Amino acid sequence: MLTCRAAFRPIRAFLSVMLLATPLASLAQGTPSVFGYSDFTAQAKIDARFLAVPDARLAGEELKTLTAKPHLAATKEDYETAQYVAQKFKAAGLETEIVPYRVLLNQPRKVSFEAKSDSGTVLSTGPTPEHVPDQPVGDPFQNDPRIVMPFNGSSGSGDVTGEIVYANYGRLEDFDKLAAMHIDLHGKIVLVRYGANFRGVKVYIAEQRGAIGVLIYSDPFDDGYFKGDAYPEGPWRPDTGVQRGSVQYLFKYPGDPQTPGVASTVDLPDSARQDPAHTGNQPNIISVPISYHDAAPILKELKGAAVPKGWQGALPFSYHLGGSGVSVHLVSDQDYQVRTIWDVIGKIKGSQSPDNWVVVGNHRDAWVYGAVDPNSGTAAMLEAVHGIGALIKSGWRPKRTIIFGSWDAEEEGLIGSTEWTEQHAEALQRAVAYFNVDVAVAGTDFAAEAVPSLKQFIREVAKQVPSPKGGTVYDQWKLDSIGEVPDASTGHSPHANAPNGEIPVGDLGSGSDFTPFLQHVGVPSTDIGSHGDYGVYHSVFDNYAWYIQNADPTFVYLQEIARVLGLEALHMADADVLPYDYVTYAKEIAAYIEQAKTRPSAKTLDFTAAQAATSRFLRAAEAVHSRQLTPSGISPQLNAALRATESAFISSAGLPNRAWYKHTIYAPGEYTGYAAVVIPGVNEALESKNPTLAAEQLSVLTQSINQAAQSLENGL
């Protein structure tokens, strides 16, 4: 991976010089042809006025304010950030409200472990407090008494003791490898390293295989000294750094565990709440996150077979599978309560189509300070609001309603966005887009994910925004995408179906707030961010000091993301015809079906009807695309048909064994969690070697594609 990227550095350096210092004014010279507009002249002037407003210095001040204190969801400090965001929304001229929900959340009373060797020698206890030496650099935030100890959201409570077995990344194939080696996990505590899949999947499979507890540690191979200098000397995780996180089974459903599919409003009676022990998205076993400082003595002492190829991490000794050598006493005392969280909603009512919403969102809560995740996104969103507020003050109004959402309790399971989406599910049938930002800035490399219909849309927006590196965001994005490979830790994965010469835009899996909008109610969505060397994810060290040292010291990348996010909202709100590219969508679905056909378990399936439906969808998409380019063909009926097409991919029955997820084209994988599984009903049935279910799901898929084609035909 590093060799591939390094090979292109001379080319990238030359092109960067050639693109350097492109002034903002030059971006407005001439009027580009932009898909969705019959004449872009007026919008280009609005864009130029907007682009001049988001301010890097103000964004930095906002980030500093938002990250001054730890602000775990449902705490007093969390509410203070809600009030701050609401004040900023109101100052910009948005109709603003703080919307509370009452949801089940855990906070730790006690989390501890003690590891002993077979001889009874204490090897490791913890979790060790996160701390780096105060000299010569130190960290100014690490000793705040309000820092909550490392814990996992949705962890079970209990007091257990068992032998340790090492299971690499805790992927399905890792657990299957242990089974093939006749290593029984019943009554064992599994030690897994972060990476390759969602942490909740690690716990999910461990529970299925009979384990009584899980320790999840960060190996320096993945985000520590093996990558480069550890913080505070560099950006990577120091030895005591711990990645907190939710282990909710969000691939079953996200949100409040007690109210799947129902909004947890403050007036929802307790009788409407379900027992989370029986709803399917909460683990029954204990899980505890630890550092490699605490994991190293355990791994060093493990007996048993040497680990398989690819399982060795970067600690300076050989790893073994265990099953003997070390036992651990694990305690997790979690305080589960129905707690209040606070979304902040700001609205600008549309002048022509007020029922067509453009929703822009970012979550605000953090495991500790959350400078990168998520408050770089909050600061960027606030500067986008600042720019749009300046337009409002000049008398401008969008054609369609724009809503900004500052979501709470995302870290515990996408809770604030899910509850709001469930509350407004009917109205969101007419929402034309959801634009997400989460980790807005961890470095300098722009990336994006989107539904196929919006991949070209985000490329066109990127062409209008100046990059701090010179040229436009699009120019630099294209340079940075040379040799790009999927990043399992961030979820940013380029897709192979990009047109020749174009920048890959990834598919949306899960792990952030676009999930309920796209995969539950079918709102076309995007997710953007700027990435780099970021090793302090979900730790104490994801703070303002780390950010200004390693990510964006002059806050110009916050400004960049604010501009991209704001233009997304402006273009979707004011476009004459909704700028959906269903030709790309049809081609990608065709590729997904062709790939599914090659699976050995697909030999008995007849894909003829699905392929015919996809061909019909492509023909309709090409015809509609021609209509979208013709000013005389633009009409409210065409826009309604375009919007209804994404909704056609929503199955009322939902996916097998997880009915909350209703999108037939994209869902988080049951055994990946973050990464998207395409045509999930079919592919997961094939993966489980269930031909009857695969045939049923292929029929559901075929029906949804035909419905999408019919929707486009209705617009002609």
Side-chain angles (χ1 to χ4, degrees):
M1 179 175 65
L2 294 174
T3 303
C4 183
R5 295 183 70 87
F8 288 96
R9 283 174 187 157
I11 300 171
R12 290 172 57 182
F14 171 75
L15 290 173
S16 294
V17 170
M18 297 300 293
L19 294 167
L20 200 62
T22 302
L24 180 60
S26 71
L27 297 172
Q29 291 176 1
T31 303
S33 175
V34 174
F35 185 51
Y37 289 85
S38 55
D39 184 348
F40 193 66
T41 305
Q43 186 65 47
K45 294 177 181 177
I46 293 169
D47 288 358
R49 286 158 52 200
F50 165 78
L51 288 169
V53 177
D55 183 88
R57 180 186 60 82
L58 287 177
E61 291 177 2
E62 288 154 356
L63 182 67
K64 189 173 185 178
T65 299
L66 288 160
T67 59
K69 305 173 185 177
H71 51 284
L72 190 69
T75 62
K76 175 176 69 71
E77 293 80 12
D78 178 40
Y79 183 62
E80 290 171 0
T81 65
Q83 291 176 307
Y84 178 77
V85 169
Q87 180 267 322
K88 290 286 185 177
F89 281 6
K90 290 176 183 176
L94 278 60
E95 299 174 22
T96 303
E97 60 178 334
I98 295 178
V99 182
Y101 295 98
R102 296 180 67 247
V103 301
L104 185 69
L105 295 175
N106 65 303
Q107 293 180 4
R109 293 191 188 95
K110 180 181 179 181
V111 175
S112 68
F113 76 92
E114 182 181 63
K116 293 182 178 181
S117 69
D118 285 346
S119 64
T121 302
V122 175
L123 302 170
S124 181
T125 61
T128 299
E130 294 174 284
H131 196 276
V132 294
D134 291 324
Q135 297 297 329
V137 181
D139 179 88
F141 294 92
Q142 63 187 356
N143 296 320
D144 192 309
R146 293 167 294 194
I147 295 169
V148 178
M149 72 181 76
F151 77 105
N152 283 144
S154 291
S155 170
S157 289
D159 183 327
V160 299
T161 300
E163 291 181 330
I164 285 283
V165 174
Y166 173 63
N168 194 28
Y169 288 113
R171 301 168 297 185
L172 181 61
E173 57 263 41
D174 296 331
F175 282 100
D176 285 346
K177 183 70 172 179
L178 291 174
M181 298 173 73
H182 306 292
I183 295 175
D184 185 3
L185 296 181
H186 284 83
K188 302 294 198 305
I189 293 173
V190 177
L191 176 65
V192 294
R193 53 174 166 159
Y194 272 114
N197 61 4
F198 170 56
R199 69 186 73 79
V201 172
K202 303 173 193 291
V203 178
Y204 177 61
I205 308 173
E207 181 176 347
Q208 289 179 329
R209 301 297 170 94
I212 58 174
V214 180
L215 287 172
I216 314 176
Y217 83 103
S218 299
D219 196 287
F221 179 86
D222 299 297
D223 65 3
Y225 60 72
F226 183 81
K227 294 285 191 179
D229 289 335
Y231 182 73
E233 284 75 25
W236 297 103
R237 193 177 300 272
D239 66 340
T240 60
V242 179
Q243 183 189 140
R244 297 153 175 82
S246 173
V247 292
Q248 182 193 79
Y249 297 163
L250 64 77
F251 42 87
K252 296 290 188 180
Y253 68 91
D256 179 13
Q258 295 182 317
T259 62
V262 177
S264 292
T265 57
V266 292
D267 56 357
L268 183 73
D270 288 344
S271 60
R273 298 177 179 274
Q274 300 181 42
D275 182 351
H278 301 122
T279 56
N281 86 334
Q282 295 290 94
N284 294 306
I285 63 173
I286 299 171
S287 64
V288 174
I290 63 174
S291 63
Y292 63 83
H293 173 278
D294 288 346
I298 299 173
L299 283 162
K300 189 173 184 179
E301 188 67 19
L302 286 180
K303 305 287 194 294
V307 297
K309 184 179 180 180
W311 288 35
Q312 174 71 39
L315 293 168
F317 46 77
S318 296
Y319 291 18
H320 291 259
L321 294 176
S324 63
V326 182
S327 63
V328 168
H329 177 211
L330 196 58
V331 176
S332 175
D333 183 6
Q334 300 297 326
D335 179 18
Y336 276 91
Q337 292 185 28
V338 174
R339 293 174 156 84
T340 300
I341 62 169
W342 306 274
D343 289 349
V344 185
I345 305 298
K347 182 182 294 186
I348 312 157
K349 190 173 182 179
S351 61
Q352 296 182 17
S353 303
D355 292 339
N356 293 148
W357 295 354
V358 177
V359 186
V360 181
N362 157 263
H363 80 93
R364 191 186 65 256
D365 66 293
W367 287 110
V368 193
Y369 299 101
V372 172
D373 179 15
N375 292 123
S376 63
T378 308
M381 185 172 72
L382 289 178
E383 278 309 291
V385 168
H386 179 202
I388 289 177
L391 296 178
I392 295 170
K393 290 177 174 62
S394 73
W396 168 88
R397 285 293 182 276
K399 294 176 183 177
R400 301 177 182 91
T401 294
I402 299 176
I403 295 174
F404 286 91
S406 174
W407 316 120
D408 203 355
E410 186 268 1
E411 296 292 8
E412 282 80 359
L414 319 181
I415 295 176
S417 59
T418 296
E419 302 313 309
W420 192 85
T421 299
E422 290 173 343
Q423 184 176 6
H424 299 280
E426 183 176 350
L428 287 168
Q429 300 301 316
R430 298 181 295 278
V432 296
Y434 173 70
F435 299 132
N436 191 64
V437 62
D438 188 337
V439 174
V441 179
T444 64
D445 296 345
F446 183 83
E449 294 80 43
V451 291
S453 58
L454 290 178
K455 290 184 177 183
Q456 187 58 28
F457 170 81
I458 189 62
R459 293 185 189 107
E460 289 196 353
V461 167
K463 290 176 180 178
Q464 289 189 249
V465 178
S467 168
K469 300 177 187 177
T472 67
V473 172
Y474 178 87
D475 297 327
Q476 295 297 337
W477 184 14
K478 194 164 190 176
L479 291 174
D480 292 335
S481 70
I482 296 174
E484 186 177 4
V485 297
D487 186 334
S489 64
T490 64
H492 285 270
S493 298
H495 197 277
N497 287 337
N500 289 337
E502 262 300 0
I503 301 168
V505 178
D507 294 329
L508 292 165
S510 188
S512 195
D513 292 302
F514 55 79
T515 291
F517 289 92
L518 174 64
Q519 293 156 350
H520 188 61
V521 297
V523 181
S525 301
T526 71
D527 185 41
I528 62 170
S530 185
H531 304 281
D533 293 344
Y534 173 43
V536 296
Y537 174 65
H538 284 190
S539 75
V540 164
F541 307 114
D542 184 359
N543 58 41
Y544 185 78
W546 184 95
Y547 186 92
I548 60 175
Q549 175 183 314
N550 297 292
D552 184 21
T554 58
F555 312 110
V556 290
Y557 289 93
L558 290 179
Q559 181 186 49
E560 172 191 271
I561 296 297
R563 286 168 164 169
V564 174
L565 192 65
L567 283 193
E568 283 189 282
L570 291 174
H571 286 195
M572 191 60 71
D574 281 347
D576 299 318
V577 62
L578 293 171
Y580 303 146
D581 170 18
Y582 282 115
V583 174
T584 294
Y585 216 141
K587 290 179 178 179
E588 294 210 5
I589 292 173
Y592 302 154
I593 292 173
E594 195 63 34
Q595 187 176 34
K597 284 179 62 180
T598 65
R599 286 175 171 263
S601 54
K603 291 179 179 178
T604 62
L605 289 186
D606 183 357
F607 287 87
T608 305
Q611 290 178 303
T614 305
S615 296
R616 176 189 175 190
F617 183 37
L618 178 58
R619 290 192 300 272
E622 290 170 339
V624 164
H625 192 267
S626 297
R627 182 68 62 86
Q628 288 171 287
L629 295 172
T630 306
S632 61
I634 296 172
S635 67
Q637 292 76 20
L638 175 59
N639 280 329
L642 286 164
R643 173 59 187 90
T645 302
E646 185 71 53
S647 295
F649 295 124
I650 295 296
S651 165
S652 59
L655 296 178
N657 302 315
R658 45 186 185 141
W660 188 93
Y661 285 99
K662 299 182 181 301
H663 207 285
T664 58
I665 310 299
Y666 299 106
E670 183 176 2
Y671 292 107
T672 62
Y674 284 138
V677 170
V678 298
I679 54 172
V682 175
N683 275 322
E684 291 189 335
L686 292 173
E687 185 71 28
S688 63
K689 297 180 174 57
N690 187 336
T692 301
L693 181 61
E696 291 172 359
Q697 289 299 303
L698 184 59
S699 177
V700 171
L701 174 66
T702 301
Q703 183 180 5
S704 72
I705 298 170
N706 274 320
Q707 288 173 341
Q710 182 66 60
S711 177
L712 291 179
E713 290 162 0
N714 291 342
L716 294 172

